[in-house]
Amino acid sequence: MRKRLLWIAIIVIVVIIFLYVYYSSGDAPQKPQKPLTQKTVDSLGYKQNNPGNIRNQGDIFDGEVYSNSSFKVFDRMANGYRAMAILLFNYFKRGENTLRKLITEYAPPNENTTSTYINFVSDETGIGPDKVLSLNDFKPGLFLSEPIIKKIVRAISQKEISWVNESELNLGYNEFLKDRI
C-alpha cells in the first residue's frame, strides 16, 4: 500500500514539475530563431513591427502607434501578431470559416495573387484550403497543442516579411487568447 502511494506521489510531482516548466517557458519549447535576411530587415512590416502588413483601415489595436503610412505601425512585434489574430477572428465571426475565405479577405485579389497566398499558407500549415474551421481552432488543442489559427498567423508572417519572431508570436497570441477566447 505504501509503495503504491509513493509511486502516485512521484507521478504527481513529475506532472507538477512538467507543467511548471512548460508554463514558465512561455508556451512550448521555443524554436530557434531563423537568422534575419536583408529582405526581412528592409521590409516595411519588420521596420513597423507589423509582421502581417496590416493596412490602416480605421480600426485601432492595442500598441498601435500613429502613422501616416498606408500600413499600421506597432510599438512591438507582439502587438502586430495580436492584431493579425484579432483580424482573423473577426473574419471568422463574419462567416469566413475556411483558410481560402480567411486569406481571400486578409489578402484580397486587388492587392495580392490570392491563390498563391492561399497555397503558401496551406503548405506552411498543412491545413487544406477548404477545411471548415471552428472556434476550437483558435484555442490550444489536446495536450496544449498549437491552435490552427496561430499556425496561420505564423505562415502569414513568413509570407509577408519572410521571418517569424517565435517569442513575440507567442506573446501576441497569448494576449489575443486572454482578450477574446
Side-chain angles (χ1 to χ4, degrees):
M1 181 70 170
R2 284 185 174 184
K3 197 173 188 180
R4 186 174 181 194
L5 286 175
L6 179 62
W7 277 110
I8 291 172
I10 290 171
I11 290 171
V12 168
I13 290 170
V14 168
V15 168
I16 290 171
I17 291 170
F18 170 78
L19 291 173
Y20 174 77
V21 169
Y22 183 85
Y23 284 109
S24 66
S25 66
D27 255 347
Q30 299 293 317
K31 295 179 183 176
Q33 294 288 322
K34 290 183 181 177
L36 289 168
T37 64
Q38 194 61 44
K39 178 181 175 184
T40 298
V41 172
D42 290 341
S43 73
L44 190 62
Y46 178 78
K47 292 175 183 176
Q48 296 185 167
N49 290 321
N50 184 352
N53 282 327
I54 299 169
R55 286 198 172 275
N56 277 322
Q57 71 269 16
D59 51 354
I60 306 293
F61 295 99
D62 285 352
E64 187 174 336
V65 179
Y66 171 76
S67 166
N68 60 359
S69 166
S70 298
F71 295 91
K72 294 189 175 291
V73 178
F74 295 97
D75 58 353
R76 60 190 186 123
M77 192 73 72
N79 284 324
Y81 284 118
R82 181 180 170 278
M84 289 168 58
I86 290 169
L87 280 177
L88 293 172
F89 184 66
N90 290 340
Y91 298 158
F92 172 80
K93 288 191 310 186
R94 288 195 326 232
E96 312 299 335
N97 63 348
T98 66
L99 182 63
R100 183 180 314 281
K101 291 176 182 178
L102 285 173
I103 298 301
T104 300
E105 185 71 24
Y106 188 88
N110 63 322
E111 296 179 13
N112 300 274
T113 309
T114 305
S115 59
T116 303
Y117 205 122
I118 293 165
N119 290 335
F120 177 86
V121 174
S122 180
D123 290 345
E124 287 287 309
T125 61
I127 301 164
D130 298 308
K131 177 189 183 313
V132 177
L133 303 171
S134 73
L135 184 60
N136 288 331
D137 293 324
F138 286 84
K139 304 173 191 173
L142 189 61
F143 301 113
L144 302 174
S145 63
E146 187 171 62
I148 286 175
I149 301 301
K150 186 175 175 187
K151 292 177 185 180
I152 295 171
V153 169
R154 177 182 290 109
I156 290 172
S157 178
Q158 187 65 45
K159 176 74 174 160
E160 293 289 345
I161 66 169
S162 303
W163 184 67
V164 178
N165 185 323
E166 291 291 338
S167 59
E168 292 292 298
L169 171 60
N170 288 335
L171 286 171
Y173 200 82
N174 288 338
E175 286 298 314
F176 159 76
L177 286 175
K178 280 193 252 182
D179 295 344
R180 297 281 182 302
I181 306 286

